[in-house]
Amino acid sequence: MTGTLYVIATPIGNLADASPRSVETLRNVDLIACEDTRTSSKLLAHFGISVRTVALHEHNERTASKELIQALRHGKSIALISDAGTPALSDPGAWLVAQAHAAGIPVCPVAGPSAAAAAISAAGFPASRFLFAGFLPAQAGARRKALQALDLPYPVVIYEAPHRISETLKDLAAKFGDREIVIARELSKKFEEVARMPLAAAVEWLEERRERAQGEFVLVLAPGEERPASAVDAERVLDVLLGSLPPSEAAKLAARITGEPKSELYKKALKRTK
Ligand code: SAM
């Protein structure tokens, strides 16, 4: 009989958010794989858990996973936790979980806190779908480029470090100035703030109080406008037709192909041929 790999979400700041099931599972496994054993020792001590811990972080995940899979094959049960929140979500763990699947070892998630889910729940944007963008690139040029792909008709969740929050808000305001943003700061902790505002006001909000530039942040960017797929297609079709037809003919054909109004397409065709 193999053991089970339990993937356990832990609090993102408030220890009272640890579910009874997560504590019970941590207490009963043979081994706990932690992103940082010292960080997790506080959580484990708080609940009087004295199970042996091993480190599994981004720099040793592959080698550590080999030994953990061996132990699981020999029937040991193992819990995987990260420093905070849900393992493998912008955190190490996916490699170990993939190896467990490959070895036919049962993987059992013990769901719980995640900063992304908490921020979405408190943002108030329709979120039947959303994009989790994680951390944006640290380098300014790459970050601005990455923003091009975030112009979406549904909310975008971004994790950000305190030393980059101001720069990121400025870049977001430059690109999506007319939208709203939710800044979720220090979730579940003593100085928690969840503030929704126009993006243009976000940097000012941050600078209003010095301590605001510290702590942990999730940003939720409001959805952009839904663009019908045909509007994009119509412009492409128009461009192709304009390659060999005069504007009026191109607009007429593009309207028949896409269902877009001929007059609108004709105006666009004239603009493009100017
Ligand atoms: N696995 C974690 C989760 O499930 O949310 C995320 C880990 S990621 C390395 C750390 C980032 O999550 C932080 O930089 C911050 O963007 C976000 N985060 C974590 N805890 C938070 C909190 N209490 N308040 C706001 N953001 C938080």
Side-chain angles (χ1 to χ4, degrees):
M1 279 280 281
T2 65
T4 296
L5 175 63
Y6 295 94
V7 185
I8 304 183
T10 58
I12 56 170
N14 190 327
L15 291 181
D17 286 344
S19 71
R21 183 171 167 235
S22 71
V23 174
E24 184 68 9
T25 310
L26 284 168
R27 208 185 295 288
N28 288 316
V29 291
D30 297 300
L31 194 62
I32 303 175
C34 310
E35 181 180 2
D36 181 330
T37 51
R38 271 200 303 183
T39 303
S40 295
S41 67
K42 291 170 208 147
L43 171 85
L44 300 176
H46 178 83
F47 290 105
I49 295 168
S50 52
V51 173
R52 186 162 79 85
T53 57
V54 293
L56 180 129
H57 45 72
E58 58 174 330
H59 304 295
N60 79 342
E61 187 164 2
R62 296 194 175 204
T63 45
S65 291
K66 267 192 196 155
E67 285 177 28
L68 293 170
I69 294 293
Q70 275 302 95
L72 285 158
R73 280 188 202 277
H74 285 100
K76 301 283 183 208
S77 56
I78 293 179
L80 167 68
I81 59 176
S82 60
D83 285 354
T86 300
L89 201 161
S90 271
D91 264 342
W95 178 263
L96 173 63
V97 171
Q99 300 312 300
H101 284 302
I105 290 158
V107 177
C108 173
V110 179
S114 170
I120 270 284
S121 74
F125 299 129
S128 47
R129 44 180 187 151
F130 69 90
L131 177 83
F132 175 63
F135 289 97
L136 299 178
Q139 200 262 333
R143 185 170 61 242
R144 281 173 208 148
K145 203 165 166 204
L147 293 185
Q148 308 296 333
L150 304 187
D151 188 1
L152 298 167
Y154 37 85
V156 176
V157 176
I158 298 166
Y159 281 173
E160 195 47 282
H163 60 279
R164 274 198 295 269
I165 189 73
S166 174
E167 288 308 303
T168 296
L169 285 174
K170 281 179 197 156
D171 288 347
L172 282 164
K175 171 90 180 109
F176 305 107
D178 55 342
R179 295 215 204 148
E180 283 193 306
I181 191 145
V182 168
I183 305 180
R185 181 178 163 266
E186 293 287 89
L187 290 168
S188 80
K189 301 187 207 176
K190 189 170 173 191
F191 297 108
E192 174 182 280
E193 289 186 289
V194 181
R196 178 166 158 168
M197 68 199 80
L199 243 178
V203 173
E204 204 181 311
W205 180 88
L206 190 73
E207 288 169 357
E208 229 164 54
R209 289 202 214 136
R210 250 218 270 152
E211 66 274 15
R212 279 205 176 132
Q214 285 153 20
E216 297 195 277
F217 290 88
V218 185
L219 304 175
V220 187
L221 176 66
E225 271 177 35
E226 187 90 48
R227 279 193 226 111
S230 67
V232 177
D233 292 343
E235 294 190 10
R236 271 211 207 125
V237 168
L238 195 59
D239 281 339
V240 172
L241 294 174
L242 281 171
S244 41
L245 292 173
S248 61
E249 284 298 301
K252 196 162 87 185
L253 272 182
R256 275 171 59 193
I257 294 167
T258 65
E260 293 284 308
K262 192 172 84 182
S263 56
E264 288 303 309
L265 290 169
Y266 182 58
K267 277 187 221 156
K268 283 183 184 164
L270 286 180
K271 263 194 199 159
R272 282 168 151 69
T273 46
K274 256 186 196 159

